[in-house]
Amino acid sequence: VWDPRTPGARPVELGRHEGAVQAAAVLRAGWVVTGGTDGQVLVWDLVTPDPGPVELGRHDSQVEAVALLADGRVVTGGDDRRVLMWGSAIPRARPVEPGRHDAKVRAVAVLADGRVVTGGDDRRVLMWDPATSGAGPVALGRHDTQVEAVALLADGRVITGGGDGRVLVWDPATPGVGPVELGRHDTRVD
């Protein structure tokens, strides 16, 4: 953990995954959730880091993306193609799996209304509604290659970047329409 109020100061190490850390998000004040190549989804207490992290659970392979729902649940995506939702207050509880991509899930973001947007190696940008169990995803659209990044604009639209170098904007209110291409990078957008 780095303190931006004291540039140049040494960081505090909370601990380690058994592999590389692929994703991190702030869970709530004083708490962070991480996912790694070891498949673990860990919650860290920044205020009292001992005795170490609490494991929410694991993916079958590496965790690529982590995001948070407003109610405190954690959403993850991984190489196992699964999108999983974890109850942050219940360590090692079985996660809810709203569905899967056809290839690894690389990016996850949460809309203001609680819907989840994911992107992956299957080139698809999918939207999931955690409030509608078993409904499956709504496809916003596709990139020409894998989707590497998903973020949200202040007006509620979704922005994605991919291996094709394109930066695309999607409107969740009109799935399957669009996208608007903002531009291209010379290489992939991570």
Side-chain angles (χ1 to χ4, degrees):
V1 177
W2 305 85
D3 186 347
R5 296 171 295 189
T6 55
R10 295 183 53 84
V12 174
E13 184 175 317
L14 296 176
R16 294 176 179 260
H17 273 262
E18 295 167 8
V21 176
Q22 296 286 97
V26 176
L27 184 58
R28 58 184 180 264
W31 294 84
V32 173
V33 62
T34 58
T37 58
D38 54 10
Q40 293 180 307
V41 179
L42 301 176
V43 176
W44 306 84
D45 182 347
L46 302 178
V47 178
T48 54
D50 291 327
V54 173
E55 183 179 310
L56 285 181
R58 292 178 180 253
H59 274 259
D60 295 334
S61 58
Q62 68 186 30
V63 178
E64 294 281 343
V66 174
L68 304 166
L69 291 161
D71 63 8
R73 288 180 293 165
V74 175
V75 181
T76 58
D79 282 8
D80 57 6
R81 305 175 311 154
R82 299 188 302 161
V83 175
L84 298 176
M85 291 183 206
W86 312 82
S88 63
I90 308 168
R92 297 191 184 264
R94 187 173 176 88
V96 173
E97 183 179 325
R100 296 175 181 234
H101 274 256
D102 295 332
K104 87 168 55 170
V105 180
R106 290 187 178 264
V108 176
V110 178
L111 297 168
D113 65 7
R115 291 178 295 170
V116 175
V117 178
T118 59
D121 279 6
D122 58 4
R123 307 178 317 187
R124 298 186 302 161
V125 179
L126 300 177
M127 186 169 53
W128 313 81
D129 187 349
T132 310
S133 179
V138 172
L140 291 180
R142 293 181 166 268
H143 269 260
D144 294 336
T145 61
Q146 75 273 13
V147 180
E148 297 274 351
V150 177
L152 305 176
L153 295 169
D155 65 5
R157 291 179 298 161
V158 176
I159 188 165
T160 59
D164 54 10
R166 297 188 318 155
V167 178
L168 304 177
V169 179
W170 311 86
D171 186 349
T174 56
V177 175
V180 173
E181 184 172 320
L182 290 182
R184 289 181 180 256
H185 286 261
D186 293 334
T187 59
R188 74 181 195 196
V189 177
D190 282 332

